[in-house]
């Protein structure tokens, strides 16, 4: 299945110059959504994964489905003030301003094998924040997976220490 044909490109969203890759058109098609999750699971076949860690909001959609398929746990990473229990947090800079992400401080037991997942790899800032959150635990990051990679932005270079998987590559 040509998954890239289900991604809609929206020029100049949310601001001028950005080619926004809209995954709602893939999620909207049951066969394409299933194929995307099946292909991600196939790519990771043979690896021991105890938890998928992903950030709201789009990461939750893929992360929930992939965790179910892998038969592993799912750990939500959220914006400040959303998680009810004690959290670890990580702040990072964006092009404009700052962002902060939180994870429950008891989410990952010692020695757990963790897959980090996001819908799209652009500059890698978001996935790097997820790596930094997981590093607060005595857990092993077995890889970082994306549905889409924007190769021109070279975000992958931030993750030389880990295997990086992406199903769909776009050069813009
Ligand atoms: P980055 O932190 O630069 O790697 O950006 C990745 C995050 O921002 C992902 O969670 C995406 O959902 C979102 N994002 C960044 N660029 C795009 C884009 N061109 N199209 C769709 N989503 C994007």
């Amino acid at each position: 299945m040509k998954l890239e044909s289900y991604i809609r490109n929206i020029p100049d969203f949310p601001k001028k110059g950005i080619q926004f890759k809209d995954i709602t058109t893939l999620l909207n098609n049951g066969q394409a959504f299933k194929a995307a999750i099946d292909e991600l699971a196939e790519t990771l076949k043979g690896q021991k994964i105890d938890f998928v860690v992903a950030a709201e909001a789009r990461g939750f959609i893929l992360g929930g489905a992939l965790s179910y398929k892998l038969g592993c746990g799912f750990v939500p990473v959220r914006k400040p003030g959303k998680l009810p229990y004690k959290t670890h947090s990580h702040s990072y800079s964006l092009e404009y301003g700052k962002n902060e992400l939180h994870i429950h401080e008891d989410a990952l037991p010692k020695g757990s094998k963790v897959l980090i997942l996001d819908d799209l790899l652009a500059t890698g800032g978001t996935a790097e924040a997820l790596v930094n959150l997981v590093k607060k635990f005595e857990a092993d990051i077995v890889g970082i997976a994306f549905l889409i990679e924007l190769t021109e932005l070279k975000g992958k270079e931030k993750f030389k220490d880990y295997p990086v998987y992406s199903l769909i590559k776009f050069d813009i």
Side-chain angles (χ1 to χ4, degrees), residues 55-56 60 76-85 87-92 94 98-104 133:
E56 61 181 307
F60 284 9
V77 169
R78 302 208 63 183
K79 305 227 165 87
K82 299 284 187 187
L83 288 170
Y85 187 58
T87 61
H88 291 306
S89 66
H90 179 74
S91 301
Y92 58 104
L94 294 170
K98 282 188 118 190
N99 211 356
E100 188 177 298
L101 289 174
H102 288 246
I103 189 170
H104 273 150
L133 278 176

Side-chain angles (χ1 to χ4, degrees), residues 25-170:
T25 37
L26 180 143
L27 300 174
N28 193 258
N29 182 295
Q31 282 182 339
F33 186 17
K34 184 175 189 313
I37 298 302
D38 288 349
E39 276 189 39
L40 277 169
E42 185 62 29
T43 304
L44 299 161
K45 204 166 144 186
Q47 300 218 43
K48 181 168 164 28
I49 296 170
D50 300 313
F51 297 96
V52 171
V53 172
E56 61 181 307
R58 274 164 279 166
F60 284 9
I61 302 167
L62 300 174
L66 182 63
S67 303
Y68 178 82
K69 176 86 188 174
L70 296 175
C72 71
F74 176 72
V75 174
V77 169
R78 302 208 63 183
K79 305 227 165 87
K82 299 284 187 187
L83 288 170
Y85 187 58
K86 287 176 273 181
T87 61
H88 291 306
S89 66
H90 179 74
S91 301
Y92 58 104
S93 300
L94 294 170
E95 200 177 345
Y96 299 105
K98 282 188 118 190
N99 211 356
E100 188 177 298
L101 289 174
H102 288 246
I103 189 170
H104 273 150
E105 66 172 32
D106 60 352
L108 297 170
K110 189 174 173 177
S112 32
K113 307 278 184 205
V114 175
L115 177 80
I116 289 171
L117 176 71
D118 202 2
D119 65 320
L120 182 143
L121 171 62
T123 64
T126 310
E128 192 176 36
L130 294 173
V131 167
N132 284 317
L133 278 176
V134 173
K135 278 185 174 168
K136 294 177 190 280
F137 298 82
E138 289 177 77
D140 292 336
I141 298 171
V142 301
I144 310 173
F146 303 91
L147 179 63
I148 302 167
E149 178 182 348
L150 302 183
T151 51
E152 286 286 292
L153 297 176
K154 302 190 187 334
K156 201 173 175 174
E157 290 177 5
K158 286 197 168 76
F159 310 112
K160 295 216 167 81
D161 295 343
Y162 307 104
V164 174
Y165 309 96
S166 55
L167 290 192
I168 305 167
K169 292 179 176 62
F170 290 114

